[in-house]
PDB file of all heavy atoms in Angstrom:
ATOM      1  N   ASP W  16     112.067 120.171  95.102  1.00  0.00           N
ATOM      2  CA  ASP W  16     111.140 119.762  96.133  1.00  0.00           C
ATOM      3  C   ASP W  16     110.225 120.887  96.598  1.00  0.00           C
ATOM      4  O   ASP W  16     109.809 120.968  97.733  1.00  0.00           O
ATOM      5  CB  ASP W  16     111.884 119.157  97.335  1.00  0.00           C
ATOM      6  CG  ASP W  16     110.976 118.247  98.172  1.00  0.00           C
ATOM      7  OD1 ASP W  16     110.048 117.667  97.616  1.00  0.00           O
ATOM      8  OD2 ASP W  16     111.195 118.124  99.383  1.00  0.00           O
ATOM      9  N   ARG W  17     109.907 121.775  95.666  1.00  0.00           N
ATOM     10  CA  ARG W  17     108.948 122.858  95.893  1.00  0.00           C
ATOM     11  C   ARG W  17     107.653 122.492  95.148  1.00  0.00           C
ATOM     12  O   ARG W  17     107.312 123.059  94.118  1.00  0.00           O
ATOM     13  CB  ARG W  17     109.477 124.223  95.442  1.00  0.00           C
ATOM     14  CG  ARG W  17     110.723 124.646  96.227  1.00  0.00           C
ATOM     15  CD  ARG W  17     111.200 126.063  95.891  1.00  0.00           C
ATOM     16  NE  ARG W  17     111.163 126.428  94.502  1.00  0.00           N
ATOM     17  CZ  ARG W  17     112.197 126.344  93.663  1.00  0.00           C
ATOM     18  NH1 ARG W  17     113.378 125.894  94.094  1.00  0.00           N
ATOM     19  NH2 ARG W  17     112.096 126.721  92.403  1.00  0.00           N
ATOM     20  N   LEU W  18     106.989 121.477  95.717  1.00  0.00           N
ATOM     21  CA  LEU W  18     105.850 120.823  95.018  1.00  0.00           C
ATOM     22  C   LEU W  18     104.677 121.757  94.769  1.00  0.00           C
ATOM     23  O   LEU W  18     104.095 121.731  93.703  1.00  0.00           O
ATOM     24  CB  LEU W  18     105.447 119.573  95.773  1.00  0.00           C
ATOM     25  CG  LEU W  18     106.518 118.485  95.979  1.00  0.00           C
ATOM     26  CD1 LEU W  18     105.916 117.292  96.639  1.00  0.00           C
ATOM     27  CD2 LEU W  18     107.124 118.101  94.685  1.00  0.00           C
ATOM     28  N   ASP W  19     104.298 122.579  95.734  1.00  0.00           N
ATOM     29  CA  ASP W  19     103.175 123.485  95.538  1.00  0.00           C
ATOM     30  C   ASP W  19     103.482 124.467  94.456  1.00  0.00           C
ATOM     31  O   ASP W  19     102.610 124.804  93.627  1.00  0.00           O
ATOM     32  CB  ASP W  19     102.816 124.192  96.832  1.00  0.00           C
ATOM     33  CG  ASP W  19     102.138 123.278  97.838  1.00  0.00           C
ATOM     34  OD1 ASP W  19     101.520 122.259  97.393  1.00  0.00           O
ATOM     35  OD2 ASP W  19     102.235 123.529  99.036  1.00  0.00           O
ATOM     36  N   GLU W  20     104.691 124.990  94.416  1.00  0.00           N
ATOM     37  CA  GLU W  20     105.098 125.916  93.353  1.00  0.00           C
ATOM     38  C   GLU W  20     105.044 125.227  92.010  1.00  0.00           C
ATOM     39  O   GLU W  20     104.606 125.841  91.011  1.00  0.00           O
ATOM     40  CB  GLU W  20     106.489 126.443  93.656  1.00  0.00           C
ATOM     41  CG  GLU W  20     107.021 127.466  92.659  1.00  0.00           C
ATOM     42  CD  GLU W  20     108.439 127.914  92.970  1.00  0.00           C
ATOM     43  OE1 GLU W  20     108.852 127.822  94.141  1.00  0.00           O
ATOM     44  OE2 GLU W  20     109.114 128.323  92.021  1.00  0.00           O
ATOM     45  N   ALA W  21     105.532 124.016  91.920  1.00  0.00           N
ATOM     46  CA  ALA W  21     105.486 123.262  90.696  1.00  0.00           C
ATOM     47  C   ALA W  21     104.051 123.082  90.196  1.00  0.00           C
ATOM     48  O   ALA W  21     103.708 123.375  89.042  1.00  0.00           O
ATOM     49  CB  ALA W  21     106.178 121.916  90.841  1.00  0.00           C
ATOM     50  N   ARG W  22     103.190 122.643  91.112  1.00  0.00           N
ATOM     51  CA  ARG W  22     101.772 122.447  90.739  1.00  0.00           C
ATOM     52  C   ARG W  22     101.154 123.749  90.247  1.00  0.00           C
ATOM     53  O   ARG W  22     100.492 123.739  89.215  1.00  0.00           O
ATOM     54  CB  ARG W  22     100.981 121.953  91.968  1.00  0.00           C
ATOM     55  CG  ARG W  22      99.479 121.784  91.668  1.00  0.00           C
ATOM     56  CD  ARG W  22      98.673 121.458  92.962  1.00  0.00           C
ATOM     57  NE  ARG W  22      99.036 122.312  94.056  1.00  0.00           N
ATOM     58  CZ  ARG W  22      98.642 123.572  94.274  1.00  0.00           C
ATOM     59  NH1 ARG W  22      97.850 124.178  93.388  1.00  0.00           N
ATOM     60  NH2 ARG W  22      98.987 124.223  95.357  1.00  0.00           N
ATOM     61  N   ARG W  23     101.392 124.859  90.929  1.00  0.00           N
ATOM     62  CA  ARG W  23     100.833 126.142  90.473  1.00  0.00           C
ATOM     63  C   ARG W  23     101.351 126.511  89.078  1.00  0.00           C
ATOM     64  O   ARG W  23     100.598 126.982  88.244  1.00  0.00           O
ATOM     65  CB  ARG W  23     101.160 127.237  91.473  1.00  0.00           C
ATOM     66  CG  ARG W  23     100.275 127.146  92.735  1.00  0.00           C
ATOM     67  CD  ARG W  23     100.460 128.397  93.625  1.00  0.00           C
ATOM     68  NE  ARG W  23     101.838 128.649  94.033  1.00  0.00           N
ATOM     69  CZ  ARG W  23     102.416 128.130  95.125  1.00  0.00           C
ATOM     70  NH1 ARG W  23     101.735 127.343  95.908  1.00  0.00           N
ATOM     71  NH2 ARG W  23     103.642 128.415  95.412  1.00  0.00           N
ATOM     72  N   SER W  24     102.620 126.268  88.817  1.00  0.00           N
ATOM     73  CA  SER W  24     103.181 126.599  87.481  1.00  0.00           C
ATOM     74  C   SER W  24     102.473 125.788  86.421  1.00  0.00           C
ATOM     75  O   SER W  24     102.123 126.338  85.354  1.00  0.00           O
ATOM     76  CB  SER W  24     104.668 126.315  87.474  1.00  0.00           C
ATOM     77  OG  SER W  24     105.351 127.220  88.274  1.00  0.00           O
ATOM     78  N   TRP W  25     102.262 124.486  86.661  1.00  0.00           N
ATOM     79  CA  TRP W  25     101.640 123.655  85.655  1.00  0.00           C
ATOM     80  C   TRP W  25     100.152 124.006  85.514  1.00  0.00           C
ATOM     81  O   TRP W  25      99.631 123.953  84.399  1.00  0.00           O
ATOM     82  CB  TRP W  25     101.831 122.194  85.996  1.00  0.00           C
ATOM     83  CG  TRP W  25     103.300 121.777  85.877  1.00  0.00           C
ATOM     84  CD1 TRP W  25     104.165 122.161  84.896  1.00  0.00           C
ATOM     85  CD2 TRP W  25     104.004 120.901  86.742  1.00  0.00           C
ATOM     86  NE1 TRP W  25     105.377 121.546  85.125  1.00  0.00           N
ATOM     87  CE2 TRP W  25     105.311 120.793  86.232  1.00  0.00           C
ATOM     88  CE3 TRP W  25     103.652 120.206  87.884  1.00  0.00           C
ATOM     89  CZ2 TRP W  25     106.300 119.983  86.809  1.00  0.00           C
ATOM     90  CZ3 TRP W  25     104.645 119.414  88.512  1.00  0.00           C
ATOM     91  CH2 TRP W  25     105.937 119.306  87.967  1.00  0.00           C
ATOM     92  N   GLU W  26      99.492 124.338  86.594  1.00  0.00           N
ATOM     93  CA  GLU W  26      98.121 124.720  86.530  1.00  0.00           C
ATOM     94  C   GLU W  26      97.931 126.016  85.712  1.00  0.00           C
ATOM     95  O   GLU W  26      96.990 126.127  84.932  1.00  0.00           O
ATOM     96  CB  GLU W  26      97.514 124.873  87.913  1.00  0.00           C
ATOM     97  CG  GLU W  26      97.289 123.558  88.620  1.00  0.00           C
ATOM     98  CD  GLU W  26      96.801 123.725  90.047  1.00  0.00           C
ATOM     99  OE1 GLU W  26      96.930 124.796  90.653  1.00  0.00           O
ATOM    100  OE2 GLU W  26      96.316 122.694  90.585  1.00  0.00           O
ATOM    101  N   VAL W  27      98.852 126.963  85.885  1.00  0.00           N
ATOM    102  CA  VAL W  27      98.799 128.195  85.098  1.00  0.00           C
ATOM    103  C   VAL W  27      99.010 127.872  83.635  1.00  0.00           C
ATOM    104  O   VAL W  27      98.305 128.378  82.732  1.00  0.00           O
ATOM    105  CB  VAL W  27      99.848 129.218  85.613  1.00  0.00           C
ATOM    106  CG1 VAL W  27     100.033 130.354  84.614  1.00  0.00           C
ATOM    107  CG2 VAL W  27      99.422 129.770  86.977  1.00  0.00           C
ATOM    108  N   ALA W  28      99.962 126.974  83.351  1.00  0.00           N
ATOM    109  CA  ALA W  28     100.223 126.601  81.954  1.00  0.00           C
ATOM    110  C   ALA W  28      99.006 125.994  81.292  1.00  0.00           C
ATOM    111  O   ALA W  28      98.633 126.319  80.170  1.00  0.00           O
ATOM    112  CB  ALA W  28     101.442 125.637  81.889  1.00  0.00           C
TER     113      ALA W  28
END
Side-chain angles (χ1 to χ4, degrees):
D16 203 28
R17 297 188 317 265
L18 301 184
D19 288 333
E20 181 182 336
R22 177 188 46 79
R23 284 190 303 272
S24 292
W25 293 320
E26 287 174 344
V27 167

